[in-house]
Amino acid sequence: MENRPQIILTGDRPTGKLHVGHYAGSLKRRVELQNSGKFDEIYIMIADAQALTDNADNPGKIRDNIIEVALDYLSVGIDPAKANIFIQSHVTELTELSFYYMNLVTVSRLQRNPTVKAEIQMRNFEASIPVGFFNYPISQAADITAFEATTVPVGEDQMPMLEQTKEIVHKFNSVYGETLVEPKILLPDNKACLRLPGIDGKAKMSKSLGNCIYLSESEADVKKKVMSMFTDPDHIQISDPGKLEGNTVFTYLDAFCKDEHFAEYLPEYANLDELKAHYQRGGLGDVKVKKFLNNVLQEELSPIRARRAEYEKNLDEVYDILKRGSETAREKAAKTLAKVKHSMKIDYFEDESFLAEQKKKYSNS
Ligand code: TRP
């Protein structure tokens, strides 16, 4: 449908503070989309119920990160006047939707989901996969469809979840009639942002690897991490030619730096291409490039840090934002659930024809 309302739904598991990988991969884009004026409704979800699917024995950890993630959202510029930040478990309609969607997905289809496969391996779940965890792609389809999301801005690792969601939408609509809205995934268009490596050069930033730069980190700590970043191990003397592939500092520059940064912090170069050419030629030291990256990152992170400090002093306000956002989210999800039950013809008490049909059935017996 052409003129359907444009709706964003996305979210994160509250298992820890968010880092610059989240920021480059998704948060920054969300704020741009929010401010583009192109969206009618925006929902940003703190996915506590999904986080519990592999943390059932540690609800305290999830509880402890609700406000943390809300602060991260608010500090990057998610504006509660434009976007509803909400807590997944508060929207109980989501579990009800999942329950009906479960009938439309096979076990073997879930087993083929690459993200689930990778996570099962990472968590050593092979022999003992919790059913709830195994089911989370279905619950994610409920999250997305409950809000009639047209656009889901997420990182690349969420692609299989969107595929699963689309399949459920098609299946539901073909079995029960046109009801659910098919979402589109929106990936970062900058390749470096797709998967920002950790500061050690390892493929992914992850808390357990200790290679993250957090959004809430102090200026001094960010600098320390940048100065310790993995570069080209063969670039020993300044005069040595340097490699860009796998060079974390340059990947971060690809993700964050703009030409204006050169004018401000490194005017000997006009742009990143010139800096890269010099590095490859030899004669450019890592420390100089790292100092530049530090300036670029600090420029990005310092307004975030300042906004966070304000909100940290106003936790009552943060709490209210979450509460209001959760209520609004719940109203929306309830409307979709009603449509779903209507399509499935299980809305017995809203459906006057239900009793009439039955009366007819028993009238001439
Ligand atoms: N799976 C996402 C993550 O791990 C969180 C999430 C849950 C989500 N439900 C969603 C993201 C719906 C986008 C849409 O970060």
Side-chain angles (χ1 to χ4, degrees), residues 187-199:
L187 296 172
D189 37 25
N190 176 337
K191 246 176 69 205
C193 291
L194 268 180
R195 190 162 290 227
L196 205 65
I199 57 169

Side-chain angles (χ1 to χ4, degrees), residues 342-360:
H342 180 70
S343 295
M344 294 174 74
K345 297 190 181 303
I346 58 171
D347 57 340
Y348 313 111
F349 299 119
E350 273 74 49
D351 178 4
E352 282 165 16
S353 64
F354 171 69
L355 188 58
E357 274 166 20
Q358 297 302 309
K359 281 184 177 167
K360 202 165 149 206

Side-chain angles (χ1 to χ4, degrees), residues 243-275:
K243 268 201 313 290
L244 303 174
E245 304 80 58
N247 189 319
T248 317
V249 176
F250 280 96
T251 309
Y252 276 58
L253 285 174
D254 278 328
F256 291 108
C257 111
K258 298 189 254 351
D259 291 354
E260 299 88 273
H261 289 128
F262 283 94
E264 173 95 25
Y265 304 113
L266 207 56
E268 305 109 275
Y269 304 89
N271 54 41
L272 188 54
D273 288 336
E274 283 186 14
L275 188 78

Side-chain angles (χ1 to χ4, degrees), residues 167-340:
E167 283 175 38
I168 290 174
V169 168
H170 290 159
K171 182 87 182 179
F172 190 99
N173 289 348
S174 76
V175 175
Y176 303 113
E178 201 63 28
T179 311
L180 301 177
V181 177
E182 184 179 318
K184 274 196 308 286
I185 189 169
L186 197 64
L187 296 172
D189 37 25
N190 176 337
K191 246 176 69 205
C193 291
L194 268 180
R195 190 162 290 227
L196 205 65
I199 57 169
D200 55 359
K202 296 255 166 56
K204 204 177 164 178
M205 238 185 236
S206 109
K207 192 173 159 194
S208 50
L209 294 172
N211 61 2
C212 306
I213 297 177
Y214 294 102
L215 290 171
S216 49
E217 219 145 11
S218 73
E219 185 174 345
D221 288 344
V222 171
K223 180 162 189 195
K224 219 187 296 162
K225 289 186 177 176
V226 170
M227 297 314 286
S228 75
M229 263 188 186
F230 181 82
T231 58
D232 169 8
D234 301 321
H235 185 243
I236 297 160
Q237 310 280 349
I238 292 185
S239 56
D240 290 339
K243 268 201 313 290
L244 303 174
E245 304 80 58
N247 189 319
T248 317
V249 176
F250 280 96
T251 309
Y252 276 58
L253 285 174
D254 278 328
F256 291 108
C257 111
K258 298 189 254 351
D259 291 354
E260 299 88 273
H261 289 128
F262 283 94
E264 173 95 25
Y265 304 113
L266 207 56
E268 305 109 275
Y269 304 89
N271 54 41
L272 188 54
D273 288 336
E274 283 186 14
L275 188 78
K276 283 178 174 174
H278 192 185
Y279 192 78
Q280 286 176 300
R281 219 167 43 236
L284 174 58
D286 281 347
V287 170
K288 187 161 176 178
V289 187
K290 284 176 171 176
K291 282 190 173 152
F292 175 59
L293 172 61
N294 179 56
N295 285 324
V296 170
L297 271 185
Q298 300 289 0
E299 188 177 311
E300 192 90 37
L301 294 178
S302 75
I304 296 177
R305 216 177 274 132
R307 232 178 280 128
R308 186 181 240 275
E310 282 308 304
Y311 278 111
E312 281 178 1
K313 283 186 266 167
N314 286 302
L315 287 187
D316 285 327
E317 188 187 341
V318 177
Y319 187 76
D320 273 352
I321 289 168
L322 285 178
K323 199 162 168 211
R324 269 186 281 120
S326 299
E327 249 116 66
T328 309
R330 190 158 190 200
E331 282 164 27
K332 174 79 179 187
K335 281 189 195 144
T336 306
L337 178 63
K339 288 186 201 171
V340 159

Side-chain angles (χ1 to χ4, degrees), residues 9-13 45 47 50 88 136 140 143-144 152 154 158:
L9 176 284
T10 185
D12 301 273
R13 296 181 195 179
M45 181 176 74
Q50 187 176 107
Q88 185 183 27
Y136 95 72
Q140 194 155 334
D143 302 336
I144 294 168
V152 183
V154 278
Q158 297 299 305

